[in-house]
Amino acid sequence: MDEDVYATIEERAKAVGTDVYGYARQALAGEGNDLRNRFLGAAAHFTQEYA
């Protein structure tokens, strides 16, 4: 099963023109951006509510 997961990750990396490490960096950066945007949205909500 793990071999299938690794092969899929390698295929996805090749599809976007990078290696596995580059793909991992892109995935982590994307998750970080999502979390940052969610945090900023919550901050705006609470600022308006408690201002």
Side-chain angles (χ1 to χ4, degrees), residues 33-51:
N33 286 337
D34 290 344
L35 289 173
R36 185 180 73 235
N37 288 333
R38 289 169 55 192
F39 175 79
L40 291 174
H45 167 79
F46 288 112
T47 298
Q48 292 173 1
E49 187 171 319
Y50 293 105

Side-chain angles (χ1 to χ4, degrees), residues 1-42:
M1 171 132 182
D2 289 339
E3 297 298 322
D4 293 336
V5 172
Y6 301 145
T8 300
I9 293 170
E10 289 175 346
E11 289 173 10
R12 289 181 180 179
K14 287 179 186 177
V16 296
T18 189
D19 60 5
V20 172
Y21 298 107
Y23 182 73
R25 282 191 298 274
Q26 289 176 354
L28 292 172
E31 288 178 19
N33 286 337
D34 290 344
L35 289 173
R36 185 180 73 235
N37 288 333
R38 289 169 55 192
F39 175 79
L40 291 174

